[in-house]
Amino acid sequence: MLQSWFEKKINERKENLLLRKLTVSEGLIDFTSNDYLGLARSEELSRQIVLRMRDLGVHSNGATGSRLLSGNDAYTQTVERKLARIFKAEAALIFNSGYAANLAVLSSLPQRGDTILYDELSHACIKDGARLSLASRFSFRHNDLDDLEQKIRRAKGRVFVVVESIYSMDGDECPLIQLTTLANGYGASLIIDEAHSTGIVGESGNGLSVSIGVHEQFAARVYTFGKAMGIHGAVVVGSQLLIDYLINFSRPFIYTTALPPHSVVAIECAFDFLSKNIALQDALRNKINLFCEQVASVDNRTDSKSPIQTALYPGNENVKRAAQKVQAQNFDVRPILSPTVPVNAERLRICLHTFNTDDDIVALASLLKSMNGLV
Ligand SMILES: Cc1ncc(COP(=O)(O)O)c(C=O)c1O
C-alpha cells in the first residue's frame, strides 16, 4: 500500500522532470560547492584540527546527549564566547546546522498573534521555521523595501522581518542599511541569516552586517560553518537574554544530541585558520572579478558580486540540458530547478572558489558566452 504510494509520488516527479537523485561527480572541476575559500579541502586546517584535538585531550567520539544533559562541556562554552567576540555580540549559541539554527530562531521567537515577513527568496529553512511558529507569515518581494513597508503597515502583533545577507540562489546582497532604517521606523525586529557571507566578508570572516556596522540592529543573527568555513554547524548570536531564551524555548536546540567534540574543535580551528589566512578573501574577490569581467556581455545572469553567480535557463528541461552541456566540458555546475527557485527562474548556479584557476574561470565563462542563454 505504502510502497505503491511511494511509487506514484516518484513517478509524478519523473513525469514532471523533477526527480531528485544522489549523484557522485568525480574528476570534474568544482564550480558548485559552497567551499568558497577552499577550507574544506585544506590539509593544513585538517592537520590543525587533529593537533588541537590532541592538545585538548579530546577522546570522546560523540557528545553523548543534548547540551542540556550530558552534551555540554566547558570547551564548547569557551568556543561560544570566542564566537561572540568574533561576531561582536554579547552571547552565542552553537547549533548542529544552519537549518537547525534558523528553525530554532523562527519557530520560537514569533508567537501566536505576531507576524513574520520574509524575503520571497529566503532559504527553505527560514520558510520551514516560520511554518513551525504559530505566528502569521507572509513573504515580501525580493529586496523590495516598498513592498516590505506596505506589509509591515498591515501586519498584526510584533513584526519579525527575516532576510539573508547574501542570497543563496541569486548571490545578491540585502540592502542592509536601508532595511535597518525601515525596520527601526516601525519597531520591527530583524533576523538575519548570514550563511553565505560568513567567512568571505569582514574581519575574521564575521559577515556583512558587522562589516558595515549594522549588526546591533538585528535581534538574532545566524552564521553557518558548512560553507566558506569548510566545516559544519552554525551559531546564533545576539543578547545574552536571546541566548537564554533559545536554551529554554527552542526545540531544535533542546531535543537533539549536541555536535560531536571534533566539530566544535573544527569550528575554533577554522576561525583561527581564517584569521591567519585572511588574504583568502582578496583571492576570492579577484576570482569573482575575473569571472564577472569575462561574462559581462552575457545577458542571462542575475546581478551578483558574490561567489554565487548564475546563468538563467528558464524551464527545468532547458536548464538540465544546459548543465549537461557544461558538465561535458568537465565543469561541475549544477542546474537549480523550480520549485527550489521560482518557475522561469531556473538557472545554473555557479560557485567561484579561491582554488579555481584563472584559466578554468576564463574557459567556463567563454563556454557560457558561447551558449548565451540558448541550448
Ligand atoms: C541561506 C542558507 N541558510 C541556511 C542554510 C542551511 O545551513 P546548513 O547547511 O548548515 O544546514 C543554507 C544551506 O544551504 C543556506 O543557503
Side-chain angles (χ1 to χ4, degrees):
M1 185 73 175
L2 196 53
Q3 294 299 324
S4 61
W5 182 76
F6 290 150
E7 204 175 353
K8 177 171 161 286
K9 299 302 286 178
I10 293 292
N11 283 337
E12 277 170 18
R13 283 246 145 149
K14 277 187 193 152
E15 281 155 24
N16 297 328
L17 303 171
L18 286 174
L19 188 69
R20 291 183 161 116
K21 268 197 210 144
L22 296 176
T23 56
V24 180
S25 67
E26 274 163 7
L28 299 187
I29 303 163
D30 180 4
F31 278 102
T32 189
S33 80
N34 297 315
D35 184 22
Y36 310 122
L37 300 173
L39 267 58
R41 53 171 68 196
S42 164
E43 288 177 17
E44 181 53 32
L45 173 57
S46 168
R47 261 195 302 279
Q48 286 176 15
I49 294 168
V50 172
L51 286 178
R52 188 79 55 95
M53 295 273 292
R54 203 194 56 198
D55 292 350
L56 289 166
V58 176
H59 299 300
S60 173
N61 298 318
T64 77
S66 157
R67 288 284 300 281
L68 283 163
L69 298 170
S70 59
N72 191 38
D73 55 45
Y75 175 68
T76 303
Q77 290 186 274
T78 306
V79 174
E80 286 177 331
R81 282 192 291 275
K82 184 164 175 168
L83 291 171
R85 283 195 298 279
I86 290 173
F87 292 110
K88 300 198 188 304
E90 202 181 356
L93 192 64
I94 291 176
F95 282 81
N96 290 6
S97 67
Y99 191 97
N102 274 312
L103 230 53
V105 170
L106 286 158
S107 63
S108 69
L109 268 60
Q111 301 287 299
R112 191 188 298 280
D114 294 339
T115 304
I116 303 172
L117 300 174
Y118 58 90
D119 189 287
E120 64 182 347
L121 295 192
S122 294
H123 190 265
C125 60
I126 291 176
K127 296 178 183 165
D128 292 357
R131 256 165 98 172
L132 277 177
S133 106
L134 298 175
S136 306
R137 58 197 151 87
F138 305 95
S139 64
F140 58 91
R141 282 202 295 273
H142 178 50
N143 273 348
D144 184 337
L145 297 187
D146 293 333
D147 189 41
L148 173 61
E149 182 163 18
Q150 281 178 27
K151 286 180 173 146
I152 293 179
R153 285 198 175 142
R154 290 203 296 269
K156 304 250 177 348
R158 296 179 306 167
V159 180
F160 292 84
V161 176
V162 195
V163 296
E164 293 175 23
S165 50
I166 294 179
Y167 282 87
S168 59
M169 289 298 153
D170 282 32
D172 55 346
E173 281 181 15
C174 177
L176 291 184
I177 295 178
Q178 298 90 321
L179 173 83
T180 50
T181 308
L182 174 68
N184 279 341
Y186 288 95
S189 297
L190 284 167
I191 295 169
I192 189 165
D193 175 348
E194 297 235 29
H196 292 278
S197 55
T198 310
I200 68 165
V201 185
E203 191 190 316
S204 317
N206 59 10
L208 193 63
S209 64
V210 175
S211 78
I212 59 178
V214 294
H215 53 289
E216 285 175 354
Q217 312 297 318
F218 289 86
R221 290 179 271 141
V222 176
Y223 298 89
T224 73
F225 308 141
K227 304 184 192 302
M229 299 311 296
I231 47 162
H232 192 80
V235 70
V236 178
V237 310
S239 67
Q240 184 62 56
L241 277 172
L242 167 76
I243 300 309
D244 292 345
Y245 180 86
L246 291 172
I247 292 170
N248 278 276
F249 293 101
S250 76
R251 297 167 69 87
F253 177 82
I254 301 168
Y255 296 107
T256 193
T257 302
L259 279 180
H262 176 274
S263 289
V264 183
V265 173
I267 293 169
E268 187 182 28
C269 290
F271 278 95
D272 287 352
F273 180 87
L274 182 58
S275 289
K276 293 194 189 100
N277 294 278
I278 203 70
L280 286 169
Q281 290 181 341
D282 287 337
L284 181 62
R285 187 123 317 278
N286 291 339
K287 301 291 178 185
I288 298 168
N289 290 343
L290 174 64
F291 181 81
C292 290
E293 273 161 33
Q294 294 291 316
V295 294
S297 62
V298 177
D299 309 318
N300 60 323
R301 303 169 51 226
T302 55
D303 187 22
S304 161
K305 295 179 186 61
S306 78
I308 303 166
Q309 298 287 326
T310 56
L312 297 168
Y313 287 89
N316 283 341
E317 207 172 344
N318 200 26
V319 75
K320 278 188 183 176
R321 264 203 311 273
Q324 278 162 7
K325 208 164 166 176
V326 175
Q327 287 160 8
Q329 300 302 312
N330 218 29
F331 299 117
D332 192 0
V333 168
R334 305 294 172 93
I336 309 291
L337 311 182
S338 56
T340 300
V341 288
V343 175
N344 284 331
E346 295 83 358
R347 80 273 313 270
L348 301 178
R349 180 175 185 265
I350 298 151
C351 289
L352 301 167
H353 311 97
T354 48
F355 54 81
N356 291 136
T357 66
D358 289 0
D359 285 350
D360 286 338
I361 290 174
V362 171
L364 173 59
S366 75
L367 177 61
L368 294 172
K369 269 190 285 195
S370 72
M371 291 162 65
N372 203 15
L374 300 170
V375 273

PDB file of all heavy atoms in Angstrom, residues 34 96-100 102 122-126 164 166-169 193-196 222 224-227 232-234 349, ligand 1:
ATOM      1  N   ASN A  34      29.962  24.992  -1.920  1.00  0.00           N
ATOM      2  CA  ASN A  34      29.985  26.257  -1.169  1.00  0.00           C
ATOM      3  C   ASN A  34      31.321  26.466  -0.463  1.00  0.00           C
ATOM      4  O   ASN A  34      31.434  27.320   0.411  1.00  0.00           O
ATOM      5  CB  ASN A  34      28.863  26.260  -0.130  1.00  0.00           C
ATOM      6  CG  ASN A  34      27.497  26.187  -0.778  1.00  0.00           C
ATOM      7  OD1 ASN A  34      27.236  26.888  -1.751  1.00  0.00           O
ATOM      8  ND2 ASN A  34      26.629  25.339  -0.260  1.00  0.00           N
ATOM      9  N   ASN A  96      23.594  22.557  15.542  1.00  0.00           N
ATOM     10  CA  ASN A  96      24.147  21.452  14.753  1.00  0.00           C
ATOM     11  C   ASN A  96      24.235  21.770  13.269  1.00  0.00           C
ATOM     12  O   ASN A  96      24.977  21.126  12.539  1.00  0.00           O
ATOM     13  CB  ASN A  96      23.304  20.194  14.940  1.00  0.00           C
ATOM     14  CG  ASN A  96      23.476  19.631  16.336  1.00  0.00           C
ATOM     15  OD1 ASN A  96      24.141  20.242  17.175  1.00  0.00           O
ATOM     16  ND2 ASN A  96      22.893  18.487  16.592  1.00  0.00           N
ATOM     17  N   SER A  97      23.439  22.726  12.804  1.00  0.00           N
ATOM     18  CA  SER A  97      23.489  23.127  11.394  1.00  0.00           C
ATOM     19  C   SER A  97      22.780  24.465  11.257  1.00  0.00           C
ATOM     20  O   SER A  97      22.061  24.900  12.176  1.00  0.00           O
ATOM     21  CB  SER A  97      22.776  22.090  10.510  1.00  0.00           C
ATOM     22  OG  SER A  97      21.388  22.103  10.793  1.00  0.00           O
ATOM     23  N   GLY A  98      22.970  25.077  10.092  1.00  0.00           N
ATOM     24  CA  GLY A  98      22.248  26.308   9.811  1.00  0.00           C
ATOM     25  C   GLY A  98      20.759  26.048   9.734  1.00  0.00           C
ATOM     26  O   GLY A  98      19.946  26.883  10.142  1.00  0.00           O
ATOM     27  N   TYR A  99      20.413  24.887   9.223  1.00  0.00           N
ATOM     28  CA  TYR A  99      18.988  24.525   9.127  1.00  0.00           C
ATOM     29  C   TYR A  99      18.362  24.536  10.525  1.00  0.00           C
ATOM     30  O   TYR A  99      17.317  25.150  10.752  1.00  0.00           O
ATOM     31  CB  TYR A  99      18.862  23.139   8.482  1.00  0.00           C
ATOM     32  CG  TYR A  99      17.444  22.786   8.109  1.00  0.00           C
ATOM     33  CD1 TYR A  99      16.990  22.980   6.810  1.00  0.00           C
ATOM     34  CD2 TYR A  99      16.558  22.285   9.050  1.00  0.00           C
ATOM     35  CE1 TYR A  99      15.678  22.680   6.469  1.00  0.00           C
ATOM     36  CE2 TYR A  99      15.253  21.989   8.722  1.00  0.00           C
ATOM     37  CZ  TYR A  99      14.815  22.178   7.431  1.00  0.00           C
ATOM     38  OH  TYR A  99      13.520  21.892   7.083  1.00  0.00           O
ATOM     39  N   ALA A 100      19.054  23.877  11.465  1.00  0.00           N
ATOM     40  CA  ALA A 100      18.531  23.800  12.839  1.00  0.00           C
ATOM     41  C   ALA A 100      18.494  25.187  13.481  1.00  0.00           C
ATOM     42  O   ALA A 100      17.547  25.518  14.213  1.00  0.00           O
ATOM     43  CB  ALA A 100      19.394  22.851  13.664  1.00  0.00           C
ATOM     44  N   ASN A 102      18.136  28.204  12.055  1.00  0.00           N
ATOM     45  CA  ASN A 102      17.021  29.014  11.559  1.00  0.00           C
ATOM     46  C   ASN A 102      15.685  28.487  12.064  1.00  0.00           C
ATOM     47  O   ASN A 102      14.788  29.259  12.409  1.00  0.00           O
ATOM     48  CB  ASN A 102      17.040  29.047  10.025  1.00  0.00           C
ATOM     49  CG  ASN A 102      17.950  30.141   9.513  1.00  0.00           C
ATOM     50  OD1 ASN A 102      17.894  31.278   9.961  1.00  0.00           O
ATOM     51  ND2 ASN A 102      18.820  29.804   8.578  1.00  0.00           N
ATOM     52  N   SER A 122      14.045  33.646   0.408  1.00  0.00           N
ATOM     53  CA  SER A 122      14.684  33.068   1.602  1.00  0.00           C
ATOM     54  C   SER A 122      14.873  31.562   1.441  1.00  0.00           C
ATOM     55  O   SER A 122      14.068  30.884   0.797  1.00  0.00           O
ATOM     56  CB  SER A 122      13.822  33.301   2.836  1.00  0.00           C
ATOM     57  OG  SER A 122      13.752  34.665   3.134  1.00  0.00           O
ATOM     58  N   HIS A 123      15.893  31.067   2.109  1.00  0.00           N
ATOM     59  CA  HIS A 123      16.190  29.627   2.106  1.00  0.00           C
ATOM     60  C   HIS A 123      15.035  28.831   2.736  1.00  0.00           C
ATOM     61  O   HIS A 123      14.320  29.337   3.613  1.00  0.00           O
ATOM     62  CB  HIS A 123      17.480  29.402   2.909  1.00  0.00           C
ATOM     63  CG  HIS A 123      18.018  28.024   2.795  1.00  0.00           C
ATOM     64  ND1 HIS A 123      17.733  27.038   3.707  1.00  0.00           N
ATOM     65  CD2 HIS A 123      18.816  27.464   1.861  1.00  0.00           C
ATOM     66  CE1 HIS A 123      18.357  25.921   3.345  1.00  0.00           C
ATOM     67  NE2 HIS A 123      19.017  26.152   2.232  1.00  0.00           N
ATOM     68  N   ALA A 124      14.914  27.584   2.307  1.00  0.00           N
ATOM     69  CA  ALA A 124      13.826  26.711   2.785  1.00  0.00           C
ATOM     70  C   ALA A 124      13.766  26.638   4.311  1.00  0.00           C
ATOM     71  O   ALA A 124      12.670  26.547   4.889  1.00  0.00           O
ATOM     72  CB  ALA A 124      14.014  25.314   2.203  1.00  0.00           C
ATOM     73  N   CYS A 125      14.923  26.699   4.990  1.00  0.00           N
ATOM     74  CA  CYS A 125      14.868  26.529   6.452  1.00  0.00           C
ATOM     75  C   CYS A 125      14.262  27.741   7.145  1.00  0.00           C
ATOM     76  O   CYS A 125      13.724  27.619   8.248  1.00  0.00           O
ATOM     77  CB  CYS A 125      16.228  26.147   7.032  1.00  0.00           C
ATOM     78  SG  CYS A 125      17.534  27.331   6.752  1.00  0.00           S
ATOM     79  N   ILE A 126      14.323  28.902   6.496  1.00  0.00           N
ATOM     80  CA  ILE A 126      13.648  30.081   7.056  1.00  0.00           C
ATOM     81  C   ILE A 126      12.130  29.872   6.908  1.00  0.00           C
ATOM     82  O   ILE A 126      11.357  30.078   7.844  1.00  0.00           O
ATOM     83  CB  ILE A 126      14.127  31.356   6.325  1.00  0.00           C
ATOM     84  CG1 ILE A 126      15.595  31.624   6.698  1.00  0.00           C
ATOM     85  CG2 ILE A 126      13.231  32.555   6.641  1.00  0.00           C
ATOM     86  CD1 ILE A 126      16.233  32.790   5.971  1.00  0.00           C
ATOM     87  N   GLU A 164      18.370  37.449   4.300  1.00  0.00           N
ATOM     88  CA  GLU A 164      19.713  36.851   4.217  1.00  0.00           C
ATOM     89  C   GLU A 164      20.675  37.960   3.807  1.00  0.00           C
ATOM     90  O   GLU A 164      20.275  38.869   3.070  1.00  0.00           O
ATOM     91  CB  GLU A 164      19.734  35.739   3.154  1.00  0.00           C
ATOM     92  CG  GLU A 164      18.881  34.552   3.552  1.00  0.00           C
ATOM     93  CD  GLU A 164      18.796  33.490   2.453  1.00  0.00           C
ATOM     94  OE1 GLU A 164      19.688  33.416   1.591  1.00  0.00           O
ATOM     95  OE2 GLU A 164      17.816  32.736   2.473  1.00  0.00           O
ATOM     96  N   ILE A 166      23.525  37.548   1.965  1.00  0.00           N
ATOM     97  CA  ILE A 166      23.766  37.243   0.551  1.00  0.00           C
ATOM     98  C   ILE A 166      22.828  36.083   0.205  1.00  0.00           C
ATOM     99  O   ILE A 166      22.837  35.055   0.895  1.00  0.00           O
ATOM    100  CB  ILE A 166      25.234  36.844   0.300  1.00  0.00           C
ATOM    101  CG1 ILE A 166      26.162  38.042   0.567  1.00  0.00           C
ATOM    102  CG2 ILE A 166      25.426  36.326  -1.127  1.00  0.00           C
ATOM    103  CD1 ILE A 166      27.644  37.758   0.377  1.00  0.00           C
ATOM    104  N   TYR A 167      22.028  36.263  -0.825  1.00  0.00           N
ATOM    105  CA  TYR A 167      21.000  35.251  -1.127  1.00  0.00           C
ATOM    106  C   TYR A 167      21.615  34.030  -1.810  1.00  0.00           C
ATOM    107  O   TYR A 167      22.450  34.159  -2.711  1.00  0.00           O
ATOM    108  CB  TYR A 167      19.857  35.886  -1.929  1.00  0.00           C
ATOM    109  CG  TYR A 167      18.993  36.665  -0.981  1.00  0.00           C
ATOM    110  CD1 TYR A 167      19.283  37.989  -0.678  1.00  0.00           C
ATOM    111  CD2 TYR A 167      17.950  36.045  -0.305  1.00  0.00           C
ATOM    112  CE1 TYR A 167      18.532  38.685   0.263  1.00  0.00           C
ATOM    113  CE2 TYR A 167      17.197  36.731   0.632  1.00  0.00           C
ATOM    114  CZ  TYR A 167      17.493  38.042   0.912  1.00  0.00           C
ATOM    115  OH  TYR A 167      16.760  38.710   1.854  1.00  0.00           O
ATOM    116  N   SER A 168      21.169  32.861  -1.358  1.00  0.00           N
ATOM    117  CA  SER A 168      21.849  31.610  -1.710  1.00  0.00           C
ATOM    118  C   SER A 168      21.712  31.228  -3.170  1.00  0.00           C
ATOM    119  O   SER A 168      22.537  30.487  -3.694  1.00  0.00           O
ATOM    120  CB  SER A 168      21.327  30.471  -0.841  1.00  0.00           C
ATOM    121  OG  SER A 168      19.942  30.309  -1.003  1.00  0.00           O
ATOM    122  N   MET A 169      20.687  31.706  -3.852  1.00  0.00           N
ATOM    123  CA  MET A 169      20.494  31.306  -5.244  1.00  0.00           C
ATOM    124  C   MET A 169      20.807  32.428  -6.228  1.00  0.00           C
ATOM    125  O   MET A 169      21.200  32.169  -7.350  1.00  0.00           O
ATOM    126  CB  MET A 169      19.047  30.827  -5.458  1.00  0.00           C
ATOM    127  CG  MET A 169      18.771  29.498  -4.802  1.00  0.00           C
ATOM    128  SD  MET A 169      19.824  28.214  -5.516  1.00  0.00           S
ATOM    129  CE  MET A 169      19.941  27.092  -4.151  1.00  0.00           C
ATOM    130  N   ASP A 193      20.090  35.848   8.304  1.00  0.00           N
ATOM    131  CA  ASP A 193      20.831  34.614   8.047  1.00  0.00           C
ATOM    132  C   ASP A 193      22.055  34.995   7.215  1.00  0.00           C
ATOM    133  O   ASP A 193      21.922  35.442   6.085  1.00  0.00           O
ATOM    134  CB  ASP A 193      19.908  33.652   7.281  1.00  0.00           C
ATOM    135  CG  ASP A 193      20.612  32.367   6.851  1.00  0.00           C
ATOM    136  OD1 ASP A 193      21.847  32.299   6.943  1.00  0.00           O
ATOM    137  OD2 ASP A 193      19.911  31.447   6.401  1.00  0.00           O
ATOM    138  N   GLU A 194      23.239  34.826   7.797  1.00  0.00           N
ATOM    139  CA  GLU A 194      24.479  35.230   7.119  1.00  0.00           C
ATOM    140  C   GLU A 194      25.245  34.018   6.583  1.00  0.00           C
ATOM    141  O   GLU A 194      26.476  34.034   6.472  1.00  0.00           O
ATOM    142  CB  GLU A 194      25.365  36.040   8.081  1.00  0.00           C
ATOM    143  CG  GLU A 194      24.725  37.343   8.543  1.00  0.00           C
ATOM    144  CD  GLU A 194      25.594  38.572   8.279  1.00  0.00           C
ATOM    145  OE1 GLU A 194      26.387  38.555   7.316  1.00  0.00           O
ATOM    146  OE2 GLU A 194      25.459  39.537   9.048  1.00  0.00           O
ATOM    147  N   ALA A 195      24.489  32.967   6.210  1.00  0.00           N
ATOM    148  CA  ALA A 195      25.131  31.722   5.756  1.00  0.00           C
ATOM    149  C   ALA A 195      26.182  31.967   4.674  1.00  0.00           C
ATOM    150  O   ALA A 195      27.283  31.418   4.735  1.00  0.00           O
ATOM    151  CB  ALA A 195      24.071  30.753   5.241  1.00  0.00           C
ATOM    152  N   HIS A 196      25.833  32.799   3.673  1.00  0.00           N
ATOM    153  CA  HIS A 196      26.743  32.925   2.525  1.00  0.00           C
ATOM    154  C   HIS A 196      27.690  34.111   2.627  1.00  0.00           C
ATOM    155  O   HIS A 196      28.444  34.370   1.689  1.00  0.00           O
ATOM    156  CB  HIS A 196      25.940  32.957   1.218  1.00  0.00           C
ATOM    157  CG  HIS A 196      25.299  31.630   0.954  1.00  0.00           C
ATOM    158  ND1 HIS A 196      25.979  30.577   0.375  1.00  0.00           N
ATOM    159  CD2 HIS A 196      24.073  31.173   1.258  1.00  0.00           C
ATOM    160  CE1 HIS A 196      25.178  29.530   0.306  1.00  0.00           C
ATOM    161  NE2 HIS A 196      24.013  29.859   0.838  1.00  0.00           N
ATOM    162  N   VAL A 222      22.258  34.627  12.378  1.00  0.00           N
ATOM    163  CA  VAL A 222      22.615  33.210  12.191  1.00  0.00           C
ATOM    164  C   VAL A 222      23.827  33.147  11.260  1.00  0.00           C
ATOM    165  O   VAL A 222      23.808  33.733  10.171  1.00  0.00           O
ATOM    166  CB  VAL A 222      21.440  32.435  11.555  1.00  0.00           C
ATOM    167  CG1 VAL A 222      21.842  30.986  11.256  1.00  0.00           C
ATOM    168  CG2 VAL A 222      20.207  32.480  12.454  1.00  0.00           C
ATOM    169  N   THR A 224      26.608  30.307   9.500  1.00  0.00           N
ATOM    170  CA  THR A 224      26.758  28.860   9.311  1.00  0.00           C
ATOM    171  C   THR A 224      28.206  28.530   8.927  1.00  0.00           C
ATOM    172  O   THR A 224      28.906  29.353   8.348  1.00  0.00           O
ATOM    173  CB  THR A 224      25.782  28.308   8.249  1.00  0.00           C
ATOM    174  OG1 THR A 224      26.230  28.705   6.959  1.00  0.00           O
ATOM    175  CG2 THR A 224      24.369  28.805   8.466  1.00  0.00           C
ATOM    176  N   PHE A 225      28.614  27.332   9.261  1.00  0.00           N
ATOM    177  CA  PHE A 225      30.020  26.948   9.088  1.00  0.00           C
ATOM    178  C   PHE A 225      30.237  25.924   7.977  1.00  0.00           C
ATOM    179  O   PHE A 225      31.362  25.502   7.716  1.00  0.00           O
ATOM    180  CB  PHE A 225      30.577  26.392  10.412  1.00  0.00           C
ATOM    181  CG  PHE A 225      30.351  27.317  11.578  1.00  0.00           C
ATOM    182  CD1 PHE A 225      30.004  26.817  12.837  1.00  0.00           C
ATOM    183  CD2 PHE A 225      30.463  28.691  11.430  1.00  0.00           C
ATOM    184  CE1 PHE A 225      29.788  27.671  13.906  1.00  0.00           C
ATOM    185  CE2 PHE A 225      30.248  29.562  12.492  1.00  0.00           C
ATOM    186  CZ  PHE A 225      29.905  29.037  13.733  1.00  0.00           C
ATOM    187  N   GLY A 226      29.168  25.506   7.323  1.00  0.00           N
ATOM    188  CA  GLY A 226      29.281  24.464   6.290  1.00  0.00           C
ATOM    189  C   GLY A 226      29.596  25.018   4.915  1.00  0.00           C
ATOM    190  O   GLY A 226      29.669  24.261   3.946  1.00  0.00           O
ATOM    191  N   LYS A 227      29.756  26.340   4.825  1.00  0.00           N
ATOM    192  CA  LYS A 227      30.013  26.923   3.504  1.00  0.00           C
ATOM    193  C   LYS A 227      31.459  27.415   3.488  1.00  0.00           C
ATOM    194  O   LYS A 227      32.357  26.586   3.455  1.00  0.00           O
ATOM    195  CB  LYS A 227      28.948  27.975   3.214  1.00  0.00           C
ATOM    196  CG  LYS A 227      27.560  27.304   3.339  1.00  0.00           C
ATOM    197  CD  LYS A 227      26.419  28.150   3.012  1.00  0.00           C
ATOM    198  CE  LYS A 227      25.111  27.501   3.450  1.00  0.00           C
ATOM    199  NZ  LYS A 227      24.839  26.189   2.879  1.00  0.00           N
ATOM    200  N   HIS A 232      31.303  22.366   9.642  1.00  0.00           N
ATOM    201  CA  HIS A 232      29.897  22.035   9.855  1.00  0.00           C
ATOM    202  C   HIS A 232      29.390  22.736  11.111  1.00  0.00           C
ATOM    203  O   HIS A 232      30.163  23.016  12.013  1.00  0.00           O
ATOM    204  CB  HIS A 232      29.748  20.514  10.026  1.00  0.00           C
ATOM    205  CG  HIS A 232      28.330  20.079   9.969  1.00  0.00           C
ATOM    206  ND1 HIS A 232      27.668  19.913   8.777  1.00  0.00           N
ATOM    207  CD2 HIS A 232      27.426  19.816  10.941  1.00  0.00           C
ATOM    208  CE1 HIS A 232      26.421  19.562   9.023  1.00  0.00           C
ATOM    209  NE2 HIS A 232      26.253  19.503  10.324  1.00  0.00           N
ATOM    210  N   GLY A 233      28.092  22.996  11.149  1.00  0.00           N
ATOM    211  CA  GLY A 233      27.492  23.611  12.328  1.00  0.00           C
ATOM    212  C   GLY A 233      27.109  25.052  12.063  1.00  0.00           C
ATOM    213  O   GLY A 233      27.247  25.557  10.940  1.00  0.00           O
ATOM    214  N   ALA A 234      26.617  25.709  13.099  1.00  0.00           N
ATOM    215  CA  ALA A 234      26.158  27.090  12.948  1.00  0.00           C
ATOM    216  C   ALA A 234      26.122  27.734  14.326  1.00  0.00           C
ATOM    217  O   ALA A 234      26.236  27.051  15.350  1.00  0.00           O
ATOM    218  CB  ALA A 234      24.756  27.117  12.330  1.00  0.00           C
ATOM    219  N   ARG A 349      23.706  27.337 -11.203  1.00  0.00           N
ATOM    220  CA  ARG A 349      24.294  28.069 -10.066  1.00  0.00           C
ATOM    221  C   ARG A 349      25.794  27.808 -10.115  1.00  0.00           C
ATOM    222  O   ARG A 349      26.231  26.656 -10.015  1.00  0.00           O
ATOM    223  CB  ARG A 349      23.689  27.573  -8.761  1.00  0.00           C
ATOM    224  CG  ARG A 349      24.221  28.272  -7.506  1.00  0.00           C
ATOM    225  CD  ARG A 349      23.438  27.763  -6.298  1.00  0.00           C
ATOM    226  NE  ARG A 349      23.778  28.445  -5.061  1.00  0.00           N
ATOM    227  CZ  ARG A 349      24.668  27.977  -4.196  1.00  0.00           C
ATOM    228  NH1 ARG A 349      25.331  26.861  -4.426  1.00  0.00           N
ATOM    229  NH2 ARG A 349      24.894  28.641  -3.074  1.00  0.00           N
TER     230      ARG A 349
HETATM  231  C1  LIG B   1      20.856  30.796   3.273  1.00  0.00           C
HETATM  232  C2  LIG B   1      21.035  29.475   3.944  1.00  0.00           C
HETATM  233  N1  LIG B   1      20.677  29.342   5.224  1.00  0.00           N
HETATM  234  C3  LIG B   1      20.837  28.175   5.864  1.00  0.00           C
HETATM  235  C4  LIG B   1      21.335  27.075   5.230  1.00  0.00           C
HETATM  236  C5  LIG B   1      21.455  25.788   5.969  1.00  0.00           C
HETATM  237  O1  LIG B   1      22.710  25.672   6.548  1.00  0.00           O
HETATM  238  P1  LIG B   1      23.293  24.223   6.866  1.00  0.00           P
HETATM  239  O2  LIG B   1      23.726  23.631   5.574  1.00  0.00           O
HETATM  240  O3  LIG B   1      24.391  24.476   7.840  1.00  0.00           O
HETATM  241  O4  LIG B   1      22.172  23.446   7.473  1.00  0.00           O
HETATM  242  C6  LIG B   1      21.732  27.161   3.902  1.00  0.00           C
HETATM  243  C7  LIG B   1      22.299  25.973   3.230  1.00  0.00           C
HETATM  244  O5  LIG B   1      22.096  25.679   2.106  1.00  0.00           O
HETATM  245  C8  LIG B   1      21.571  28.391   3.231  1.00  0.00           C
HETATM  246  O6  LIG B   1      21.915  28.528   1.942  1.00  0.00           O
END
